[in-house]
Each structure stands twice: as structure tokens, then as C-alpha cells.
Amino acid sequence: MSFFDLINPFSYVTPFHADGDAAEESVVVAADAVEAAAVVIEQIEESNADEEETETEKEEEEEEEEGEEEAEDKAPLIKEGCGETLACKSLKHHYDECAARVEDGSSESCAEEFLHFMECVDHCAASKIFAQLK
């Protein structure tokens, strides 16, 4: 395609569609620029109609997926309950004391206390969580 083909008012070349994908070149030859513009507008409207159809299909698929409800995750509630048990309460107390010291300016890390507390919670909650699985 030459430079003169691009500026010729009697032909219009659209190497790309509205969605930006490369497509086959379509050459519209008309008696005047108004007819060429009308043909191009028709082509754009057709491509937009095709895009709208695919969008509605996607929306319908999403609505079908939303209809399938997933079960509520009970693990956080079970873990919270296990954190309040007698076995884990002392470890939580040690962690809370360490966190208070850190807030007051201590340079220590509470990672060890936190890991011990979470190990206790996980050990308590594991059997209860797996009992809830279907």
C-alpha cells in the first residue's frame, strides 16, 4: 500500500479493527467519501455487535458460576476458639506480654512466642477442621 492509497478520498483502508487486533485489510471503494464513511461505519457497528454478543455470553457464564454457593470457611472460627482453650491460653499470655514489651521499646522479637502459640492453635484445630470437611 502506498502513501497515495492512504490519502485517496475514494478508497478507505482499515488495517485494524476497533479492538486493536490486526485483521485482514478491507478496501472500500465508493463514488464519494460519504459512501465510504457509511460503509466503514457499518463495518464498525458489525464488529461492535459481535463484541457485545461475546460480552453477554461471558456475563451469563459468570451468573451461572455465582449461583453455585461455596460453603463458609469455618477454620478461622475454630482457630479462634482453640486460642482460648486452657492449653493455648498460657502461650497466648506469653505472646501478649512480649508484644507489650516490644510496644514499650524493647528490641526483642516475639517470633518464638508467636510460633509456639500458633502451633498450639493449629494442633487443637486440625482435628476439628478436618471433621467439618464433607
Side-chain angles (χ1 to χ4, degrees), residues 20-41:
D21 293 335
E24 298 176 7
E25 289 187 7
S26 58
V27 178
V28 178
V29 178
D32 61 0
V34 175
E35 281 185 41
V39 172
V40 171
I41 290 172

Side-chain angles (χ1 to χ4, degrees), residues 48-65:
N48 287 344
D50 292 340
E51 290 175 7
E52 288 177 6
E53 289 176 6
T54 57
E55 288 178 9
T56 56
E57 291 173 0
K58 288 179 184 177
E59 289 173 1
E60 290 174 359
E61 290 176 6
E62 290 175 2
E63 289 175 4
E64 290 176 5
E65 291 175 3

Side-chain angles (χ1 to χ4, degrees), residues 92-102 108 110:
K92 181 171 177 24
H93 177 71
H94 287 294
Y95 172 70
D96 290 338
E97 285 180 347
C98 180
R101 287 191 303 270
V102 169
E108 68 180 304
C110 299

